[in-house]
């Protein structure tokens, strides 16, 4: 049965907007676990725009489920991952100017380099995943690089401009899942999945994990507004004229 892995990066985005102490992504991660998340994901970016090193260290100590660390394949992140020992790392491409991870990692022609990067992580008991487009060449290259999982980038499906484009992108993802499984890889899906478009995978077998962040945090902000405003209005109502 597939699991839900919740990405809490954007709780940290809100905190970093004031460079303050709230909202606390570790608290969000606990609540997500209590609500049914079976893994917590954070992306420690090179520019530290949202998640900070201390968040990853605290999550490692406090999570009851699993910690999945998204990161670029850089020497700095390699050293950090070996120290933190997340349950899994997911290698993603990273560009400083991008708003979010815009495309999959290119694995073709980099199989040996990636295998060398992953081997010490595997030796330490850390699982591995490569975030790639639903492209057969990338899937085969990920297998050759020795990854245990692939995460197929669902952004092209989620952001498709027309229903026809969306069907075409969905078919690519479904074929990618099939090929990945045939090659003996475990397959996760992520990026741009929301309460409307995730349904397309309800009857698609072979997915281990759905990695979802933005839509969940966005909904949480809105569903929490009423309680938050009522609480503050109640306090203000109690003030003297
Ligand atoms: N998977 C990967 C590799 C990502 O980089 C992201 C975005 O941080 C996600 C999944 C989650 O995407 P979203 O926030 O759109 O749900």
């Amino acid at each position: 049965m597939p699991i839900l892995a919740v990405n809490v990066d954007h709780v940290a985005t809100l905190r970093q907007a004031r460079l303050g102490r709230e909202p606390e992504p570790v608290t969000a991660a606990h609540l997500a676990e209590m609500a049914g998340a079976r893994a917590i994901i954070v992306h420690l970016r090179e520019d530290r725009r949202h998640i900070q090193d201390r968040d990853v260290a605290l999550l490692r100590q406090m999570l009851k489920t699993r910690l999945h660390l998204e990161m670029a394949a850089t020497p700095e992140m390699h050293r950090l991952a070996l120290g933190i020992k997340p349950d899994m790392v997911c290698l993603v491409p990273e560009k400083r100017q991008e708003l979010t991870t815009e495309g999959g990692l290119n694995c073709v022609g980099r199989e040996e380099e990636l295998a060398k990067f992953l081997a010490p992580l595997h030796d330490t008991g850390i699982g591995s995943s490569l975030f790639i487009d639903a492209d057969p060449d990338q899937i085969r290259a990920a297998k050759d690089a020795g990854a245990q999982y692939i995460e197929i980038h669902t952004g092209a499906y989620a952001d498709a401009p027309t229903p026809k484009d969306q069907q075409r992108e969905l078919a690519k993802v479904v074929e990618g899942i099939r090929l990945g499984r045939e090659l003996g890889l475990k397959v996760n899906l992520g990026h741009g999945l929301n309460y409307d478009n995730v349904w397309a995978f309800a009857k698609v077998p072979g997915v281990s994990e759905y990695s979802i962040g933005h839509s969940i945090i966005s909904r949480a902000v809105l569903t929490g507004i009423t309680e938050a405003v009522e609480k503050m209005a109640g306090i203000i109502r109690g003030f003297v004229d």
Side-chain angles (χ1 to χ4, degrees):
M1 210 207 284
I3 64 160
L4 171 63
V6 174
N7 180 315
V8 296
D9 289 353
H10 294 308
V11 178
T13 300
L14 205 50
R15 179 191 60 193
Q16 296 310 107
R18 288 284 174 92
L19 297 177
R21 296 181 64 178
E22 63 178 17
E24 172 56 73
V26 179
T27 308
H30 272 150
L31 292 170
E33 285 186 323
M34 286 168 68
R38 287 288 161 263
I40 299 298
I41 304 180
V42 287
H43 184 173
L44 186 64
R45 281 185 166 266
E46 194 192 1
D47 63 11
R48 307 298 197 272
R49 68 174 72 160
H50 40 51
I51 291 294
Q52 306 296 306
D53 298 57
R54 66 68 96 174
D55 300 328
V56 187
L58 285 173
L59 287 167
R60 174 67 298 177
Q61 283 175 43
M62 296 168 86
L63 287 185
K64 296 187 177 68
T65 58
R66 295 168 59 82
L67 173 63
H68 293 180
L69 179 64
E70 289 175 6
M71 61 184 217
T74 63
E76 182 204 13
M77 289 298 156
H78 198 250
R79 187 176 43 73
L80 281 168
L82 286 171
I84 292 161
K85 298 189 182 61
D87 295 286
M88 185 159 81
V89 297
C90 177
L91 300 186
V92 300
E94 212 175 280
K95 293 189 217 115
R96 276 196 176 239
Q97 302 310 322
E98 68 189 358
L99 292 177
T100 180
T101 315
E102 281 165 4
L105 188 73
N106 177 33
C107 302
V108 176
R110 298 181 60 201
E111 294 85 343
E112 218 173 297
E113 175 200 338
L114 289 167
K116 278 199 190 125
F117 191 92
L118 294 179
L121 301 171
H122 291 162
D123 291 346
T124 318
I126 302 170
S128 64
S129 176
L130 301 179
F131 183 55
I132 55 174
D133 292 334
D135 170 345
D137 291 338
Q138 296 294 345
I139 296 169
R140 288 192 194 93
K143 170 71 183 174
D144 292 343
Q148 297 163 346
Y149 285 76
I150 52 171
E151 179 178 327
I152 297 181
H153 194 320
T154 48
Y157 158 70
D159 299 333
T162 67
K164 198 171 158 207
D165 291 326
Q166 195 167 43
Q167 279 311 310
R168 194 190 57 236
E169 294 301 330
L170 177 63
K172 284 191 207 165
V173 175
V174 171
E175 174 52 21
I177 297 166
R178 193 204 59 72
L179 176 61
R181 299 290 296 155
E182 185 183 288
L183 294 172
L185 292 161
K186 293 202 174 113
V187 181
N188 300 336
L189 299 184
H191 214 285
L193 295 176
N194 63 34
Y195 296 85
D196 298 319
N197 64 23
V198 77
W199 285 100
F201 299 99
K203 294 202 165 16
V204 177
V207 178
S208 296
E209 176 181 302
Y210 289 88
S211 164
I212 306 181
H214 192 265
S215 64
I216 292 177
I217 304 305
S218 301
R219 187 180 172 95
V221 169
L222 295 185
T223 56
I225 280 274
T226 306
E227 188 274 337
V229 172
E230 280 174 0
K231 175 90 180 159
M232 187 60 83
I235 292 172
I236 304 290
R237 268 200 305 274
F239 289 3
V240 290
D241 296 338

